[in-house]
Each structure stands twice: as C-alpha cells, then as structure tokens.
Amino acid sequence: CKILRCNSEYVAATLHLRGPERGSAFCTALRSYSLCTRRTARTCRGDLAFHSAVHGIEDLMIQHNCSKEGPTAPPRPRPPAPNPPGFESLDICDYERSFLYKHGRPPGFQHCAAFGDPHIRTFHDDFHTCRVEGSWPLLDNDYLFVQATSSPVAKGSNATVTSKLTIIFKNMKECIDQKVYQAELDNVPAAFQDGSVNGGARPGGSSLAIRERIPGRHVEIRAGYIGTTIAVRQAGRQLSFSIRAAEEVAGAFTEEQDLQLCVGGCPRSQRMSRSPRGRGRVPAETARALCREMLPVEDVYFQSCVFDVVTSGDANFTMAAHGALEDARLFLPDAEKLHIFQ
C-alpha cells in the first residue's frame, strides 16, 4: 500500500500555494491526489489511512468547488532543507516514526511468548500450558506467519516441547522481500534461509535485520518496518519464541486466520494443568529449589519451570523460563503486567 506516497505528493504540491491562483492549483492537486489513491485502491483496501484520505479528498473537493474532471499535475519538488519533518520526508519503512506522524502518538505494543512445555503467554496476557504435538501456528496475519513444531518431552509423556520454529516475514513491496527464518534444536542460525541477514536489496531492506546475542543459542530479529522484535532462544533440548509486536500488526488478520496460539491461546482440548501429578522424573521440592534460584517470584513462570523440571528431569528448563521472563521484561509495554499469578 503506497498511500503515504500519495499523501507526501499532495503535501508537496500544496505546501507553497498562495494568492489568487491558489484555487485552480489546489483543485489540480486534489485531482492528482484522488488519481493516486485510485491507483493504490487494490493494495490499500484494508488500510485506515487510505480510507481516511479518500473521504478527506471528497470533502475538500466539495468545500473548494473543485470539478472531478480537469487537469492533474505532477507534484511540486520537495522544499529544500531545513524543514520540519513531514510526509514528504517520511521513511515508510520506519513504522514507529510513520505511526507517530499519522496519529500524533506512539503506537501501542503487545507481547506473546512460547517456551518450555510449551507454555503460551498470549497477546492478551492469558497463560496456558499446552499438550500440542505437531505443527501449530503461533501467528498468522497479513505481515507474519510463525509456526512452532512440538514433539514429546520424554518417551510416554503427554508434555511436549518446541523443537522447530519457522518464521515468515511476508513480502512488503516498499520495504522487504519475503524472508524465511528457521531454527531447529542445535541449529539457531543468525541468518535467514537464503543466507542473508537483512530484508534484501529494496530501499527499506535494512529495516529487517538479524542480530546474534549468544552464538547458536539466542538471536534477535528486528522488523522496524512493522514495529516488531522477535527473540528465538534454545535452552537445553527446547526452543522458545518471544515477540513484541505493534497492536496494528498483531491484529491484522481475518476470521479465517482464527487459529493463532498468540491470539487465542491453546484450544481447550489441548490445555494441561501445571500441577504435576503422579511420579515425576525429579521430586517437586527439588524442582522448586532449582527454579527458585533463577525465578525468585513464584508466578506462572516459576510454576511453569517447576512443571517442566519435574516432567522432563532436565534442569536446563530453568533457563527456558528465565529467558522468557527476561524477554517479557524487555518486550512488555506495561511493566506492571510482568508477573502473572494463577
């Protein structure tokens, strides 16, 4: 959707109009603006800025008695610097800056995580422990597709862990080529599947980039063009996923894309209690002592840690819960929601 370009051209064309000639030149600029929006109609159908521009043009044409038929003109050249930043100099691949300019406030953000058994913290701060086996979508919207593949944590166990993550950054014409990132156990690469480390050769390619935090164990992917940051970690024999996404991006999906663990959590039939039952591989008190070293607050992260250590017998699960909590500390827009108690 190139509505920002149409806005930019209209602002540039009308910025310096003065005097008696302003009327006809203004109508010409409006017709040019209208033509530009019509050309982007197919790709901008779901964009609020596009619909706002269409209605705004109609109102201005009525106010200024402009005919819909008549000459259109190319926009005037951009005014020389220094000038206040405006649409004419706005980088459309910088989501936060673009949103601030359009709405006069910074965007809102949401956080989701999947770690351990897996445990899911949804965008709405619900918390579920899942028995999901096989491949399940964490996200499926207009910008991102994230799929987690789970397998049993131990032979004969109902509990599962994430063994593979596939993340698709969908093609965004102005900014990036489609990019696929894939992590598996003992293979957490600091590059996309095609070997690149950014969004490609397009002008906004640098707005998507991978950064290695801990070699082979922790990568961070920043997608500035959609105001989103993703962390992928490996702790022991499981992978974890955390995301900070702009609200507008997290909510950009249709009714058909209804199965997203980050949005709705686990289906009811796939939810598990975090109260260990029967004989575990490690006594519950031992697991509690191990988890308390990494997680002093006995919240859902702590409960999840105890469940995972008891079920798997693997003390590395303390690191998985600790990493998820650290990501939440960084990614959560509201620090008061860091700890969830159930």
Side-chain angles (χ1 to χ4, degrees):
C1 177
K2 296 185 177 180
I3 190 62
L4 289 184
R5 192 185 69 185
C6 297
N7 293 343
S8 168
E9 290 176 353
Y10 169 69
V11 170
T14 57
L15 201 59
H16 300 296
L17 292 181
R18 298 285 187 276
E21 296 299 314
R22 183 180 187 278
S24 60
F26 190 73
C27 288
T28 299
L30 277 174
R31 283 190 291 269
S32 179
Y33 191 12
S34 178
L35 177 64
C36 187
T37 59
R38 288 200 299 274
R39 285 174 177 161
T40 65
R42 188 174 63 82
T43 55
C44 291
R45 278 178 303 185
D47 193 295
L48 289 177
F50 167 77
H51 293 289
S52 176
V54 170
H55 292 302
I57 292 166
E58 289 177 2
D59 290 344
L60 286 170
M61 281 190 155
I62 293 168
Q63 288 172 30
H64 294 272
N65 294 320
C66 295
S67 167
K68 290 186 179 181
E69 302 299 324
T72 59
R76 290 172 177 265
R78 293 178 184 176
N83 269 306
F87 277 124
E88 67 272 19
S89 61
L90 193 62
D91 180 3
I92 58 172
C93 298
D94 185 334
Y95 178 87
E96 292 188 46
R97 186 175 165 220
S98 166
F99 190 97
L100 180 64
Y101 191 94
K102 282 194 284 184
H103 301 281
R105 62 175 176 83
F109 293 94
Q110 294 179 316
H111 168 59
C112 169
F115 68 97
D117 185 71
H119 312 285
I120 306 290
R121 179 175 184 148
T122 74
F123 284 136
H124 311 294
D125 300 317
D126 294 322
F127 202 95
H128 300 151
T129 294
C130 313
R131 71 171 85 248
V132 290
E133 189 171 348
S135 296
W136 291 73
L138 293 172
L139 282 170
D140 182 10
N141 61 41
D142 293 348
Y143 304 96
L144 283 167
F145 177 78
V146 181
Q147 180 174 275
T149 301
S150 299
S151 50
V153 64
K155 193 173 181 180
S157 172
N158 278 334
T160 55
V161 291
T162 300
S163 53
K164 182 178 178 181
L165 280 165
T166 302
I167 305 171
I168 300 174
F169 297 87
K170 296 181 182 179
N171 175 60
M172 192 166 173
K173 203 168 186 180
E174 302 88 342
C175 301
I176 68 146
D177 300 319
Q178 177 171 294
K179 292 289 176 179
V180 178
Y181 178 80
Q182 199 162 81
E184 298 183 69
L185 288 177
D186 300 324
N187 181 20
V188 181
F192 295 106
Q193 267 199 320
D194 62 4
S196 64
V197 294
N198 59 35
R202 297 183 186 182
S206 62
S207 64
L208 175 63
I210 293 184
R211 184 177 176 186
E212 192 170 54
R213 292 290 190 178
I214 301 172
R217 285 290 179 268
H218 180 194
V219 299
E220 186 177 89
I221 308 174
R222 290 184 179 269
Y225 68 100
I226 50 173
T228 294
T229 304
I230 291 172
V232 175
R233 298 174 183 258
Q234 177 172 338
R237 305 304 300 161
Q238 61 91 33
L239 298 173
S240 64
F241 167 87
S242 293
I243 185 170
R244 174 188 185 257
E247 288 176 349
E248 192 177 43
V249 171
F253 58 88
T254 63
E255 289 181 10
E256 288 76 33
Q257 296 163 300
D258 58 342
L259 181 57
Q260 300 180 63
L261 301 190
C262 273
V263 176
C266 310
R268 287 193 177 276
S269 62
Q270 301 293 320
R271 295 179 195 175
M272 298 176 69
S273 165
R274 279 188 300 281
S275 300
R277 293 189 180 133
R279 293 186 63 183
R281 292 170 179 264
V282 170
E285 278 311 306
T286 303
R288 290 175 69 84
L290 285 167
C291 292
R292 201 173 286 116
E293 290 176 15
M294 302 296 292
L295 303 150
V297 178
E298 295 195 15
D299 59 1
V300 290
Y301 292 96
F302 176 86
Q303 293 170 12
S304 301
C305 174
V306 173
F307 177 89
D308 290 346
V309 174
V310 168
T311 305
S312 69
D314 185 353
N316 282 310
F317 276 93
T318 61
M319 295 299 297
H322 175 73
L325 183 62
E326 287 306 297
D327 286 337
R329 208 184 298 277
L330 286 172
F331 290 172
L332 265 176
D334 184 353
E336 291 184 3
K337 292 183 178 178
L338 177 63
H339 298 291
I340 298 174
F341 298 92
Q342 291 180 345

